[in-house]
Amino acid sequence: MFLIVVDKPHRLPSMAHESNAVEHCGGCAERGLGLPNAALKVTHRLDSSTSGVLVLGKTESAVREFNESVAKKPGSKVRVSYFICTYGQFE
């Protein structure tokens, strides 16, 4: 299984869109690694305004295997958590 984990900055789309096929997280990773366009597939999506960890796969089978390994199943040892950090006064 061939996976790449990247730290996606906010304002950068996770994947290509009809109006923007080049400037997206997968495309930036492809260029940085010297891979052809559309060589990496997104395993999950983060909103453009969200930064965070994004997992990309080189093959459809790698994406499928990763997604199956983190799917919510009875007895699964994978836990997804979300944290938020704030500052200032809450009124």
Side-chain angles (χ1 to χ4, degrees):
M1 177 170 32
F2 183 93
L3 295 173
I4 296 173
V5 178
V6 298
D7 182 11
K8 186 191 95 55
H10 74 287
R11 296 191 183 148
L12 181 67
S14 296
M15 55 194 352
H17 186 268
E18 61 188 28
S19 65
N20 185 358
V22 179
E23 291 305 317
H24 56 94
C25 200
C28 292
E30 289 161 353
R31 286 191 303 281
L33 295 169
L35 297 172
N37 287 345
L40 298 174
K41 287 90 174 120
V42 177
T43 62
H44 61 97
R45 190 180 69 79
L46 293 174
D47 290 342
S48 292
S49 60
T50 303
S51 62
V53 174
L54 186 68
V55 180
L56 305 165
K58 192 169 180 188
T59 64
E60 293 292 337
S61 63
V63 170
R64 186 172 42 259
E65 191 175 332
F66 172 80
N67 286 338
E68 287 173 1
S69 74
V70 298
K72 292 181 183 176
K73 300 179 202 171
S76 174
K77 294 180 180 179
V78 174
R79 191 180 91 196
V80 177
S81 299
Y82 297 92
F83 297 95
I84 183 169
C85 295
T86 62
Y87 62 93
Q89 281 189 319
F90 181 74
E91 296 180 23

